[in-house]
Amino acid sequence: MASALDLFDLKGKTALVTGASRGIGRAVATGLAEAGADVALLARGTTALERLAGEVESLGRRALVLTCDVNDSDQIRQAARTTFAEFGALDVLVNNAGGIGHAGPFLDLDFDDWRRVLRLNLESTVHACHVFGAHMVERGGGSVINISSIAGLGGTPMLAHYAVTKAAVISLTRTLAAEWAAAGVRVNALAPGWVRTDLTRAFLADPDASAGLLAAVPSGAIGDPSDVVGSVVYLAGDASRGVTGSCLVSDGGTTCFVGGPQLLGFLQHGRIPV
Ligand SMILES: NC(=O)c1ccc[n+]([C@@H]2O[C@H](COP(=O)([O-])OP(=O)(O)OC[C@H]3O[C@@H](n4cnc5c(N)ncnc54)[C@H](OP(=O)(O)O)[C@@H]3O)[C@@H](O)[C@H]2O)c1
C-alpha cells in the first residue's frame, strides 16, 4: 500500500510541458523533474530550453528539448514522434504554452487579434490533445493538464479573446475527461490567477494597474510561477487518481472575492445595519 507521499512520486514517469522555456512552464517542468519525472521541454526558444535541460539532468532525470511552434500542427506531430522515439511513452502532458497578444476593449480588438489567440491558446491545445491523447488512450493511461486561467471563469473586460480561449480550454477538458475516463486517461484544467511572468509584465509594470490587481487578490500577493507547481504535480500523478474533468483554481482567492476590495473595505468596519 503506497503511503500518501508516494502518491506524489513521479519516478519512472515521463512528462511533456509546452511553453517550458520561461514563466509558469519552466517552473512546472522543473517541479515535475524534482518529483521524479523525465521531462520533454517544448517551446520555440531552444537556448532557454537547453539551459533548463541541463538543470533537469542535474536532478538525475532525462530531459528532451523539443523546439516547436505550437501554432503549427505538423510541428506538434513531429514533437510527438520525437518524444515517443526517445521516451517510449508519455504519461503526463501539460498544455501550458499560451499568450495574449494585444489587450484592449472588445471594440478595439481586430479579428486578427482573435485569430492569433484562438490559434495559440485553443487550437494548439486541441492539436496536442489529439496527438498525445490518441497515444494515451491506446496505452490505457495518462494525465493531461490544460493550463487555463481565471480569465476563463467569468467576464474579463479588455481580454475578451483571451478569456474565450481559456473558457474553451475548460470546456474541452471536461469533454475529453468524460470521453477518455473509461480508457484510464484523466484530463484536468488548472486556472491560475495573476502570476508574475513575461505575460503579465506590462500590466504589473504600471503602478496603477499593479495596485488595482493586487487589491483584488485576498491573499495579498501576485502569484509566483512556483505557486502553481504543487497543483500540477498533484494533477500529474496518483495523488489525483480519482480526479478528472476538474478545474483547479490557484488564484489566492481572487475569484471568491465577490464585491471586490471596495465593498470589503466598506463592510469590514464592524457591524453595519443594512
Ligand atoms: N502569468 C499569468 O498571470 C497567467 C495566469 C493564468 C494563466 N496563465 C497561462 O499560463 C500559461 C503560461 O503563461 P506564462 O505567464 O508563463 O507566460 P510566458 O512567461 O509568456 O511564457 C509563455 C511560454 O509559452 C511559450 N510559447 C509562446 N508561444 C509559443 C508558440 N507559438 N509555440 C511554442 N511555445 C510558445 C513561450 O516560449 P517561446 O517564446 O520560447 O516559444 C514560453 O515558454 C499560458 O497559457 C497563460 O495563458 C498565465
Side-chain angles (χ1 to χ4, degrees):
M1 176 86 169
S3 78
L5 272 185
D6 290 340
L7 296 174
F8 292 87
D9 189 348
L10 301 179
K11 264 190 223 89
K13 295 205 184 288
T14 55
L16 185 151
V17 181
T18 72
S21 61
R22 58 177 190 272
I24 291 171
R26 188 182 209 286
V28 161
T30 307
L32 291 170
E34 284 169 352
D38 294 332
V39 191
L41 311 164
L42 184 152
R44 294 164 305 176
T46 312
T47 310
L49 293 181
E50 279 169 353
R51 206 174 311 124
L52 178 58
E55 291 173 33
V56 167
E57 282 161 0
S58 71
L59 293 165
R61 314 294 171 221
R62 283 188 298 166
L64 178 63
V65 169
L66 299 167
T67 307
C68 168
D69 183 342
V70 296
N71 286 315
D72 182 339
S73 58
D74 287 340
Q75 291 190 34
I76 295 179
R77 267 192 293 277
Q78 181 53 49
R81 280 193 288 272
T82 308
T83 304
F84 302 146
E86 293 294 321
F87 281 178
L90 189 73
D91 299 300
V92 180
L93 169 67
V94 184
N95 284 312
N96 164 79
I100 295 175
H102 290 83
F106 175 80
L107 295 178
D108 289 342
L109 295 173
D110 58 41
F111 206 69
D112 278 344
D113 296 321
W114 278 84
R115 266 196 212 99
R116 271 193 292 271
V117 170
L118 284 163
R119 193 167 176 201
L120 175 59
N121 294 352
L122 180 58
E123 287 181 29
S124 72
T125 303
V126 172
H127 286 308
C129 283
H130 212 267
V131 174
F132 292 101
H135 165 80
M136 289 178 177
V137 167
E138 198 184 313
R139 281 185 75 218
S143 171
V144 178
I145 302 160
N146 293 322
I147 305 299
S148 176
S149 164
I150 58 168
L153 298 176
T156 309
M158 314 303 156
L159 289 172
H161 54 343
Y162 178 74
V164 162
T165 65
K166 293 301 183 178
V169 160
I170 295 171
S171 172
L172 177 70
T173 298
R174 294 203 200 286
T175 298
L176 295 184
E179 284 197 17
W180 294 347
V185 179
R186 298 184 299 109
V187 189
N188 290 287
L190 179 63
W194 290 90
V195 179
R196 203 174 290 280
T197 66
D198 287 357
L199 186 78
T200 52
R201 190 182 301 282
F203 301 98
L204 297 173
D206 180 86
D208 289 340
S210 182
L213 289 175
L214 195 57
V217 187
S219 68
I222 299 295
D224 181 80
S226 61
D227 295 339
V228 178
V229 172
S231 299
V232 174
V233 170
Y234 159 69
L235 290 173
D238 288 343
S240 61
R241 66 181 166 222
V243 179
T244 193
S246 76
C247 177
L248 183 54
V249 178
S250 171
D251 70 347
T254 305
T255 46
C256 328
F257 211 175
V258 176
Q262 283 80 10
L263 184 65
L264 185 71
F266 169 65
L267 289 176
Q268 71 187 358
H269 301 294
R271 293 177 66 244
I272 300 168
V274 286

